[in-house]
Amino acid sequence: MSTQISPINTQVFEQLKQIVGEKNVLTRPADLFLYSFDSALERATPSAVVLPEKPDQVALVVRILSKNKIAFVARGAATSLCGGPVPLHGAVVIGLARLNRVGKFDKERKEIVVEPGVVNLKLQQLVAPEGLFYPPDPGSQKACTIGGNVATNAGGPHCLKYGVTSHFVMGLDWVLPDGQQIHVKVEDPGYDVLGFLVGSEGTLGLATRIRLKLLPKPKVVRTMLVSYGSIEDAIQSVTDIIAGGLLPATLEAMDKTTIMAVEAFSHAGYPTNAEAVLLIEVDGDTAEELDRQVEEIRGHCAANKCLEFRFAKDEAEREKLWEGRRGSYPAMARLAPNVLVEDGAVPRTQLPEALRRIKQIASDAGLRVALLFHAGDGNLHPQIVFDERDAAHTRVVKEAGQKMLKVCVDLGGTISGEHGIGTDKREAMKWLFTRETLSLFRRLKNAFDPDNFCNPDKLIPLVGKTGSPPSVPASYAEEIPVSADGDIAPATEEELVETVRKLAHQKKFFGIQGSRTKYHVSESILLSTVNFNRVLDFDRANLTLTVQAGAKLEAVCAAIEQEKRYLWMKSAGTIGGVIAARSSAVPAIRDLILGMRVLLPTGEIIQLGAKTMKNVAGYDAAKLLVGSWGTLGLILDVTFRLYPYAASRMAAAENPKPFVFRDIHKKIKKAFDPENILSTRMTALSENDIISNPSGTKGGDPVSSEEKKFKSLEEKFWM
């Protein structure tokens, strides 16, 4: 998409100064330089820097810039490692660091509201005295902000057991690229817009307030440092521990180069005679519970020839070990002026092979690389030291980094587990996603930001045209045979795709029907998923399951429980129906989905996500299918995260709420279904209300004017 961006003028400068004050609009060359880069190599000079101090000022600033066709980009602490907040096209930087107030702290509900400039570590320190903690803990937590964490769906060591940022964001005050303010929350019926916005890297708007879920601090914690004679033995221990049905709170790996750098920098107490170490932590409610886990972990480590297995003797030593781990990046930065930190992820059982290939790439290029892993969830961070003043060497380093990411893709993984895409990995997205999926991402970007003013030219690569469109087979014009009740039950995926393409060509309305336990579709033509009921991949060692959408949830859960693996969902009906109706409530379905294949109403198949525990490559569009009531596409199959133990608490919500299409839903619907032919009318079986009316043939939009005015009743809760 070409970006037609206007230069900023004197009148706009004056309007911005009226909103935030003259001292908060920066234009001096020295100031602009300081906002021209993040923690990666990309640089671009902004045309101005605006520093709001209140959430309402952000919306006014965005409105002025959008109206005058001026690009803008949000910026927090600039700890990004992928060029995410770099202001391309002379974009205006909207610095959110001064929005650092804490709102309501609801200790009973274990929720807190913060502004985007609140630093991650400050939040941890604030809630700790109440016996609570916020699990996402990036290595940059001393500096990174919650707004930046939301933008990149940040992770960290404790995400192995507890999940990433999107699992803990319960609500957002969000400024759209035109300056309109909306409020989205996890309780909203319909598409999971909240989950979709998290991880969108500032390309769909800006968060001004964030409601977060907190967890009780575990009563007992055991921290272990395990040393090895080789990094290969350490990584094999990781795969064995997870395959053995254990789920530590953290499971980190470091090689000798990292160990030596950390010890010289922070004296954390790592053994400098070891070739690799694992930093392992387990937590729980009782010492007895942890004793069993520790002994099993010790057994796996011993089987892989560990040299030493020792515990942190007290909290001070534990903190010192973690200080070393979190300080690995600045420690490496002492070895050379620059450090390239890559961020791929693979299925856990592929870690040994990924390690072998990455070491070979570094060796072939003659590079010094340190290896650091969030090993428990398959997230790799090769760190290459170099000096960017040597242009030829810098090119070699960048090429090697790209090859390492390609290894992750080739092994069934992804190009980013937690850092994001930004500018650095934009072209690499083509390795991971098909043209059809990238085109969907572009349509979703256009739905929110049609003029491409909001953090332009990030995340999504340009997809060139393929020449003349393919000719349409004559058979697409033929009548489609249906049963007396209007059902079509394709026997194979090929037949299903062919049927949808015919319906799309003929622009016939159709719907999707599973087991009819959640809702009734009123279209005259119904596609049934009854024949798509197989488990495609049950990976016991990786704790993942891929299953077709027509499979019955209860039967799938019962089958895998025989193998001591658990899918934390509880509801009647098919997998696709449970997701579409969002009818399993605790824990949330949204937190269990790793990947999804979807057949769009156009007849195109898109692949969302991957078989990895962490993945922030591209928009998390799979979230939009949760609660979509079959209006966006036909779910072909889903990849879920499994657990090695049953959920302590699980509840079903069998009567999910119908929802009325708001403006934002309509835009999303159009991105998936441009001709608006899929599931335009349906009724919940539990209620007599119309669930959706995306065709717009009846009534208006009862909430759009309310959204534009943004007179939200929740403001009392927020602040």
Side-chain angles (χ1 to χ4, degrees), residues 180 660-667 693 696 698-708:
Q180 181 187 169
V660 179
F661 266 58
R662 302 186 178 195
D663 282 346
I664 199 165
H665 296 128
K666 291 177 181 177
K667 291 176 180 178
N693 181 32
K698 298 178 184 177
D701 185 347
V703 294
S704 60
S705 60
E706 177 188 347
E707 285 185 319
K708 289 175 184 176

Side-chain angles (χ1 to χ4, degrees), residues 132-145:
L132 301 170
F133 79 113
Y134 177 64
D137 55 346
S140 59
Q141 70 172 168
K142 288 183 178 180
C144 68
T145 61

Side-chain angles (χ1 to χ4, degrees), residues 28 30 64 115 117 186 200 326 344 363 451 525 528 569:
R28 294 189 310 163
I64 292 296
E115 291 180 345
V186 72
S200 58
R326 294 194 176 100
S363 175
D451 296 314
I525 298 176
S528 171
M569 288 169 58

